[in-house]
Amino acid sequence: MRTVAAYSASAPGAPLIRDSVERRDLRADDVAVLVSHCGVCHSDLHALRDDAGSFPLTPGHEFVGTVLDVGSGVTDFAPGDPVAVGNIVDSCDVCDMCAAGQENYCREFPTLTYGGRDRVDGSTTAGAFSAEYVVRDRFVYHRPKGLDAAAVAPLMCAGITVWEPLRRWNIGPGSRVGVAGIGGLGNLAMRFAATLGAEVTVFTTSSAKAEEARELGAHNTVLSTDDAAMAAVQGGLDLVVDCIPVAHDPQPYLASLALDGTLCLVGHLGSVSIETVDLLVGRKSVSSSGSGGRRHTQEMLDFCGDHGITAQVEVLPSALVGIALDRLEAGDVRYRFVLDMGDLVGDGTPA
């Protein structure tokens, strides 16, 4: 076992403090990663405040770094390789979902980067708000060398979450895609769809964000509070990726769908109320998606490398993780916080 510096919370609602976690000795199929940057996600906030969680808790599930060492059976990675890891670090390998390359839907539930159960020794996984991480090689991904490391980290959660529905519905030239909400998920959904060749319509409640969307490449922006503007796009979209992170009425976005169109909910994952007639007229569908399988995750990273796509991030030294969480909770970020973990190697004093 190896003791490494990390941030942990002792109980729900407790602050993250500098601490340490134990990383296992390398198994034959393990990769040890020196963590350089880790994204801060809304799910980290939820976990830190959830009484049902496993404490002490070290969050962090979208991270990048370089390979420190590999197990005896690892052939696809070597020390010094730039890599990225997401929110899944293992799966059963044998169920129908794993066989289909959708390890994110593993029938035995995938092992999560933190708060998960290790499939070998039964221990609870500790996340990447830490100096190092040890992970099974199948869930380590080659990181494109030409991209900014910090801005790649959120691709491993927000990026793959919106990439999967775009690929599932074969978005490309001639497709008409709507994106509801321009946050950490929505800005990437918009940029992915536009780069794939789709005509992109962005829905937002903010005129300021409408201008941001145009600057990021949206073809059309619609204020969702403007009834006339919403009426003008009725029946005009093939797919709407709904990235709004709070409870809301999906009916206006269903109305924007064309025949056989799909509304994919990836932001708010709670209960929704839908009138069947809103689906009946136009034979529309409602779907959802979460994270991604191994094949699609590497595909997404390669696509980003080919097209120079990264997340828009604000980077803070890891010692300021409490400020990042407070500002994230207040919605004060464009569009994702990323922690620079380099200060964990020294005395923890932020630059």
Side-chain angles (χ1 to χ4, degrees), residues 250-285:
Q251 191 280 330
Y253 305 110
L254 284 170
S256 73
L257 293 172
L259 178 66
D260 290 326
T262 298
L263 172 65
C264 187
L265 303 166
V266 297
H268 176 65
L269 300 182
S271 299
V272 296
S273 179
I274 294 173
E275 296 291 338
T276 304
V277 72
D278 291 331
L279 302 177
L280 181 153
V281 178
R283 205 164 51 211
K284 299 168 186 176
S285 301

mmCIF file of all heavy atoms in Angstrom, residues 250-285:
data_model
loop_
_atom_site.group_PDB
_atom_site.id
_atom_site.type_symbol
_atom_site.label_atom_id
_atom_site.label_comp_id
_atom_site.label_asym_id
_atom_site.label_seq_id
_atom_site.Cartn_x
_atom_site.Cartn_y
_atom_site.Cartn_z
ATOM 1 N N PRO A 250 -40.619 19.655 -19.320
ATOM 2 C CA PRO A 250 -40.017 19.287 -20.604
ATOM 3 C C PRO A 250 -40.907 19.561 -21.811
ATOM 4 O O PRO A 250 -40.448 19.448 -22.958
ATOM 5 C CB PRO A 250 -39.782 17.780 -20.452
ATOM 6 C CG PRO A 250 -40.877 17.330 -19.540
ATOM 7 C CD PRO A 250 -41.087 18.470 -18.575
ATOM 8 N N GLN A 251 -42.174 19.936 -21.577
ATOM 9 C CA GLN A 251 -43.111 20.061 -22.696
ATOM 10 C C GLN A 251 -42.647 21.015 -23.788
ATOM 11 O O GLN A 251 -42.761 20.693 -24.983
ATOM 12 C CB GLN A 251 -44.489 20.490 -22.160
ATOM 13 C CG GLN A 251 -45.611 20.392 -23.180
ATOM 14 C CD GLN A 251 -45.651 21.568 -24.156
ATOM 15 O OE1 GLN A 251 -45.261 22.688 -23.791
ATOM 16 N NE2 GLN A 251 -46.107 21.335 -25.383
ATOM 17 N N PRO A 252 -42.109 22.198 -23.473
ATOM 18 C CA PRO A 252 -41.682 23.103 -24.547
ATOM 19 C C PRO A 252 -40.619 22.485 -25.452
ATOM 20 O O PRO A 252 -40.578 22.777 -26.651
ATOM 21 C CB PRO A 252 -41.137 24.321 -23.793
ATOM 22 C CG PRO A 252 -41.828 24.276 -22.465
ATOM 23 C CD PRO A 252 -41.951 22.833 -22.140
ATOM 24 N N TYR A 253 -39.773 21.623 -24.896
ATOM 25 C CA TYR A 253 -38.720 21.003 -25.702
ATOM 26 C C TYR A 253 -39.266 19.836 -26.513
ATOM 27 O O TYR A 253 -38.823 19.588 -27.639
ATOM 28 C CB TYR A 253 -37.565 20.591 -24.796
ATOM 29 C CG TYR A 253 -37.076 21.770 -23.990
ATOM 30 C CD1 TYR A 253 -37.290 21.832 -22.616
ATOM 31 C CD2 TYR A 253 -36.488 22.867 -24.613
ATOM 32 C CE1 TYR A 253 -36.900 22.945 -21.880
ATOM 33 C CE2 TYR A 253 -36.092 23.980 -23.888
ATOM 34 C CZ TYR A 253 -36.302 24.016 -22.536
ATOM 35 O OH TYR A 253 -35.932 25.138 -21.820
ATOM 36 N N LEU A 254 -40.260 19.141 -25.955
ATOM 37 C CA LEU A 254 -40.950 18.124 -26.763
ATOM 38 C C LEU A 254 -41.647 18.772 -27.957
ATOM 39 O O LEU A 254 -41.657 18.232 -29.068
ATOM 40 C CB LEU A 254 -41.976 17.378 -25.910
ATOM 41 C CG LEU A 254 -41.436 16.335 -24.933
ATOM 42 C CD1 LEU A 254 -42.552 15.859 -24.000
ATOM 43 C CD2 LEU A 254 -40.842 15.154 -25.696
ATOM 44 N N ALA A 255 -42.217 19.958 -27.742
ATOM 45 C CA ALA A 255 -42.920 20.653 -28.825
ATOM 46 C C ALA A 255 -41.974 21.051 -29.941
ATOM 47 O O ALA A 255 -42.386 21.186 -31.100
ATOM 48 C CB ALA A 255 -43.631 21.890 -28.274
ATOM 49 N N SER A 256 -40.697 21.217 -29.629
ATOM 50 C CA SER A 256 -39.739 21.634 -30.656
ATOM 51 C C SER A 256 -39.284 20.487 -31.549
ATOM 52 O O SER A 256 -38.608 20.709 -32.549
ATOM 53 C CB SER A 256 -38.516 22.284 -30.006
ATOM 54 O OG SER A 256 -37.702 21.310 -29.373
ATOM 55 N N LEU A 257 -39.680 19.243 -31.203
ATOM 56 C CA LEU A 257 -39.217 18.079 -31.949
ATOM 57 C C LEU A 257 -40.038 17.851 -33.216
ATOM 58 O O LEU A 257 -41.256 18.039 -33.243
ATOM 59 C CB LEU A 257 -39.290 16.827 -31.073
ATOM 60 C CG LEU A 257 -38.325 16.783 -29.883
ATOM 61 C CD1 LEU A 257 -38.649 15.581 -29.002
ATOM 62 C CD2 LEU A 257 -36.875 16.721 -30.363
ATOM 63 N N ALA A 258 -39.334 17.381 -34.248
ATOM 64 C CA ALA A 258 -39.977 16.984 -35.495
ATOM 65 C C ALA A 258 -40.493 15.551 -35.373
ATOM 66 O O ALA A 258 -40.358 14.906 -34.328
ATOM 67 C CB ALA A 258 -38.978 17.105 -36.644
ATOM 68 N N LEU A 259 -41.062 15.043 -36.438
ATOM 69 C CA LEU A 259 -41.537 13.660 -36.488
ATOM 70 C C LEU A 259 -40.420 12.702 -36.092
ATOM 71 O O LEU A 259 -39.297 12.789 -36.599
ATOM 72 C CB LEU A 259 -42.010 13.324 -37.905
ATOM 73 C CG LEU A 259 -42.501 11.900 -38.149
ATOM 74 C CD1 LEU A 259 -43.778 11.618 -37.366
ATOM 75 C CD2 LEU A 259 -42.714 11.668 -39.645
ATOM 76 N N ASP A 260 -40.727 11.793 -35.141
ATOM 77 C CA ASP A 260 -39.783 10.797 -34.639
ATOM 78 C C ASP A 260 -38.586 11.415 -33.918
ATOM 79 O O ASP A 260 -37.539 10.781 -33.766
ATOM 80 C CB ASP A 260 -39.287 9.877 -35.768
ATOM 81 C CG ASP A 260 -40.375 8.946 -36.275
ATOM 82 O OD1 ASP A 260 -41.221 8.519 -35.463
ATOM 83 O OD2 ASP A 260 -40.395 8.658 -37.489
ATOM 84 N N GLY A 261 -38.744 12.640 -33.454
ATOM 85 C CA GLY A 261 -37.670 13.288 -32.704
ATOM 86 C C GLY A 261 -37.556 12.742 -31.291
ATOM 87 O O GLY A 261 -38.464 12.089 -30.758
ATOM 88 N N THR A 262 -36.412 13.007 -30.666
ATOM 89 C CA THR A 262 -36.127 12.493 -29.325
ATOM 90 C C THR A 262 -35.660 13.606 -28.405
ATOM 91 O O THR A 262 -34.830 14.440 -28.788
ATOM 92 C CB THR A 262 -35.040 11.403 -29.378
ATOM 93 O OG1 THR A 262 -35.503 10.305 -30.172
ATOM 94 C CG2 THR A 262 -34.696 10.898 -27.978
ATOM 95 N N LEU A 263 -36.200 13.612 -27.190
ATOM 96 C CA LEU A 263 -35.721 14.477 -26.125
ATOM 97 C C LEU A 263 -34.880 13.620 -25.193
ATOM 98 O O LEU A 263 -35.379 12.656 -24.613
ATOM 99 C CB LEU A 263 -36.894 15.093 -25.354
ATOM 100 C CG LEU A 263 -36.545 15.886 -24.086
ATOM 101 C CD1 LEU A 263 -35.722 17.127 -24.420
ATOM 102 C CD2 LEU A 263 -37.814 16.262 -23.320
ATOM 103 N N CYS A 264 -33.592 13.941 -25.055
ATOM 104 C CA CYS A 264 -32.685 13.175 -24.198
ATOM 105 C C CYS A 264 -32.346 14.005 -22.969
ATOM 106 O O CYS A 264 -31.730 15.075 -23.070
ATOM 107 C CB CYS A 264 -31.416 12.800 -24.953
ATOM 108 S SG CYS A 264 -30.333 11.693 -24.018
ATOM 109 N N LEU A 265 -32.764 13.527 -21.803
ATOM 110 C CA LEU A 265 -32.581 14.234 -20.538
ATOM 111 C C LEU A 265 -31.278 13.782 -19.882
ATOM 112 O O LEU A 265 -31.144 12.628 -19.472
ATOM 113 C CB LEU A 265 -33.757 13.950 -19.608
ATOM 114 C CG LEU A 265 -35.148 14.304 -20.153
ATOM 115 C CD1 LEU A 265 -36.231 13.663 -19.296
ATOM 116 C CD2 LEU A 265 -35.337 15.803 -20.208
ATOM 117 N N VAL A 266 -30.315 14.690 -19.779
ATOM 118 C CA VAL A 266 -29.043 14.348 -19.151
ATOM 119 C C VAL A 266 -28.679 15.283 -18.004
ATOM 120 O O VAL A 266 -27.688 15.063 -17.307
ATOM 121 C CB VAL A 266 -27.889 14.349 -20.186
ATOM 122 C CG1 VAL A 266 -28.109 13.289 -21.246
ATOM 123 C CG2 VAL A 266 -27.719 15.719 -20.822
ATOM 124 N N GLY A 267 -29.445 16.356 -17.796
ATOM 125 C CA GLY A 267 -29.145 17.319 -16.744
ATOM 126 C C GLY A 267 -29.802 16.948 -15.438
ATOM 127 O O GLY A 267 -29.166 16.428 -14.517
ATOM 128 N N HIS A 268 -31.094 17.174 -15.333
ATOM 129 C CA HIS A 268 -31.854 16.811 -14.130
ATOM 130 C C HIS A 268 -32.331 15.372 -14.265
ATOM 131 O O HIS A 268 -33.064 15.031 -15.200
ATOM 132 C CB HIS A 268 -33.058 17.741 -13.972
ATOM 133 C CG HIS A 268 -33.935 17.381 -12.812
ATOM 134 N ND1 HIS A 268 -33.513 17.461 -11.512
ATOM 135 C CD2 HIS A 268 -35.210 16.933 -12.776
ATOM 136 C CE1 HIS A 268 -34.479 17.077 -10.709
ATOM 137 N NE2 HIS A 268 -35.518 16.748 -11.441
ATOM 138 N N LEU A 269 -31.927 14.516 -13.333
ATOM 139 C CA LEU A 269 -32.254 13.093 -13.431
ATOM 140 C C LEU A 269 -33.329 12.675 -12.438
ATOM 141 O O LEU A 269 -33.474 11.498 -12.138
ATOM 142 C CB LEU A 269 -30.984 12.254 -13.229
ATOM 143 C CG LEU A 269 -29.870 12.529 -14.242
ATOM 144 C CD1 LEU A 269 -28.679 11.606 -13.981
ATOM 145 C CD2 LEU A 269 -30.377 12.351 -15.679
ATOM 146 N N GLY A 270 -34.097 13.641 -11.963
ATOM 147 C CA GLY A 270 -35.203 13.326 -11.068
ATOM 148 C C GLY A 270 -36.476 13.027 -11.845
ATOM 149 O O GLY A 270 -36.462 12.806 -13.059
ATOM 150 N N SER A 271 -37.592 13.036 -11.148
ATOM 151 C CA SER A 271 -38.878 12.731 -11.766
ATOM 152 C C SER A 271 -39.310 13.846 -12.715
ATOM 153 O O SER A 271 -39.043 15.028 -12.474
ATOM 154 C CB SER A 271 -39.949 12.555 -10.685
ATOM 155 O OG SER A 271 -39.628 11.480 -9.825
ATOM 156 N N VAL A 272 -39.969 13.447 -13.808
ATOM 157 C CA VAL A 272 -40.552 14.406 -14.744
ATOM 158 C C VAL A 272 -41.989 13.989 -15.025
ATOM 159 O O VAL A 272 -42.341 12.819 -14.911
ATOM 160 C CB VAL A 272 -39.761 14.487 -16.073
ATOM 161 C CG1 VAL A 272 -38.363 15.016 -15.846
ATOM 162 C CG2 VAL A 272 -39.711 13.118 -16.757
ATOM 163 N N SER A 273 -42.791 14.958 -15.397
ATOM 164 C CA SER A 273 -44.186 14.689 -15.734
ATOM 165 C C SER A 273 -44.397 15.002 -17.211
ATOM 166 O O SER A 273 -44.090 16.110 -17.668
ATOM 167 C CB SER A 273 -45.116 15.548 -14.874
ATOM 168 O OG SER A 273 -46.467 15.319 -15.218
ATOM 169 N N ILE A 274 -44.890 14.013 -17.941
ATOM 170 C CA ILE A 274 -45.058 14.162 -19.387
ATOM 171 C C ILE A 274 -46.464 13.719 -19.787
ATOM 172 O O ILE A 274 -46.947 12.659 -19.352
ATOM 173 C CB ILE A 274 -44.018 13.319 -20.152
ATOM 174 C CG1 ILE A 274 -42.616 13.873 -19.902
ATOM 175 C CG2 ILE A 274 -44.315 13.288 -21.651
ATOM 176 C CD1 ILE A 274 -41.516 13.017 -20.475
ATOM 177 N N GLU A 275 -47.120 14.542 -20.573
ATOM 178 C CA GLU A 275 -48.418 14.171 -21.123
ATOM 179 C C GLU A 275 -48.214 13.258 -22.332
ATOM 180 O O GLU A 275 -47.429 13.584 -23.238
ATOM 181 C CB GLU A 275 -49.179 15.424 -21.550
ATOM 182 C CG GLU A 275 -49.537 16.364 -20.406
ATOM 183 C CD GLU A 275 -50.590 15.769 -19.484
ATOM 184 O OE1 GLU A 275 -51.330 14.861 -19.927
ATOM 185 O OE2 GLU A 275 -50.651 16.205 -18.316
ATOM 186 N N THR A 276 -48.904 12.135 -22.344
ATOM 187 C CA THR A 276 -48.732 11.178 -23.431
ATOM 188 C C THR A 276 -49.031 11.801 -24.787
ATOM 189 O O THR A 276 -48.372 11.492 -25.789
ATOM 190 C CB THR A 276 -49.644 9.961 -23.211
ATOM 191 O OG1 THR A 276 -49.360 9.396 -21.934
ATOM 192 C CG2 THR A 276 -49.410 8.908 -24.284
ATOM 193 N N VAL A 277 -50.005 12.718 -24.843
ATOM 194 C CA VAL A 277 -50.354 13.322 -26.121
ATOM 195 C C VAL A 277 -49.188 14.135 -26.695
ATOM 196 O O VAL A 277 -49.062 14.278 -27.912
ATOM 197 C CB VAL A 277 -51.620 14.195 -25.978
ATOM 198 C CG1 VAL A 277 -51.331 15.484 -25.198
ATOM 199 C CG2 VAL A 277 -52.206 14.520 -27.354
ATOM 200 N N ASP A 278 -48.303 14.651 -25.824
ATOM 201 C CA ASP A 278 -47.135 15.382 -26.313
ATOM 202 C C ASP A 278 -46.152 14.458 -27.024
ATOM 203 O O ASP A 278 -45.329 14.902 -27.836
ATOM 204 C CB ASP A 278 -46.419 16.096 -25.158
ATOM 205 C CG ASP A 278 -47.238 17.251 -24.600
ATOM 206 O OD1 ASP A 278 -48.019 17.842 -25.364
ATOM 207 O OD2 ASP A 278 -47.092 17.566 -23.403
ATOM 208 N N LEU A 279 -46.227 13.166 -26.720
ATOM 209 C CA LEU A 279 -45.417 12.178 -27.426
ATOM 210 C C LEU A 279 -46.157 11.641 -28.648
ATOM 211 O O LEU A 279 -45.553 11.384 -29.697
ATOM 212 C CB LEU A 279 -45.066 11.012 -26.493
ATOM 213 C CG LEU A 279 -44.313 11.343 -25.206
ATOM 214 C CD1 LEU A 279 -44.118 10.073 -24.371
ATOM 215 C CD2 LEU A 279 -42.965 11.973 -25.514
ATOM 216 N N LEU A 280 -47.461 11.493 -28.490
ATOM 217 C CA LEU A 280 -48.288 10.909 -29.547
ATOM 218 C C LEU A 280 -48.224 11.729 -30.829
ATOM 219 O O LEU A 280 -48.056 11.174 -31.921
ATOM 220 C CB LEU A 280 -49.726 10.797 -29.038
ATOM 221 C CG LEU A 280 -50.778 10.186 -29.952
ATOM 222 C CD1 LEU A 280 -51.891 9.569 -29.125
ATOM 223 C CD2 LEU A 280 -51.392 11.228 -30.906
ATOM 224 N N VAL A 281 -48.339 13.039 -30.716
ATOM 225 C CA VAL A 281 -48.339 13.889 -31.902
ATOM 226 C C VAL A 281 -46.902 14.048 -32.391
ATOM 227 O O VAL A 281 -46.115 14.802 -31.830
ATOM 228 C CB VAL A 281 -48.963 15.269 -31.597
ATOM 229 C CG1 VAL A 281 -48.912 16.148 -32.846
ATOM 230 C CG2 VAL A 281 -50.389 15.124 -31.109
ATOM 231 N N GLY A 282 -46.568 13.289 -33.407
ATOM 232 C CA GLY A 282 -45.220 13.306 -33.953
ATOM 233 C C GLY A 282 -44.410 12.076 -33.604
ATOM 234 O O GLY A 282 -43.242 11.974 -33.973
ATOM 235 N N ARG A 283 -45.034 11.117 -32.869
ATOM 236 C CA ARG A 283 -44.353 9.855 -32.542
ATOM 237 C C ARG A 283 -42.993 10.126 -31.880
ATOM 238 O O ARG A 283 -41.964 9.571 -32.244
ATOM 239 C CB ARG A 283 -44.188 9.023 -33.805
ATOM 240 C CG ARG A 283 -44.072 7.519 -33.573
ATOM 241 C CD ARG A 283 -44.290 6.743 -34.854
ATOM 242 N NE ARG A 283 -43.434 7.254 -35.941
ATOM 243 C CZ ARG A 283 -43.776 7.225 -37.232
ATOM 244 N NH1 ARG A 283 -44.966 6.749 -37.589
ATOM 245 N NH2 ARG A 283 -42.961 7.681 -38.164
ATOM 246 N N LYS A 284 -43.016 10.986 -30.878
ATOM 247 C CA LYS A 284 -41.772 11.428 -30.244
ATOM 248 C C LYS A 284 -41.359 10.489 -29.115
ATOM 249 O O LYS A 284 -42.159 9.709 -28.612
ATOM 250 C CB LYS A 284 -41.951 12.855 -29.723
ATOM 251 C CG LYS A 284 -42.269 13.849 -30.830
ATOM 252 C CD LYS A 284 -42.737 15.187 -30.285
ATOM 253 C CE LYS A 284 -43.188 16.102 -31.415
ATOM 254 N NZ LYS A 284 -43.746 17.381 -30.926
ATOM 255 N N SER A 285 -40.108 10.600 -28.720
ATOM 256 C CA SER A 285 -39.555 9.742 -27.677
ATOM 257 C C SER A 285 -38.844 10.583 -26.618
ATOM 258 O O SER A 285 -38.348 11.672 -26.893
ATOM 259 C CB SER A 285 -38.543 8.755 -28.267
ATOM 260 O OG SER A 285 -39.133 7.946 -29.263
#
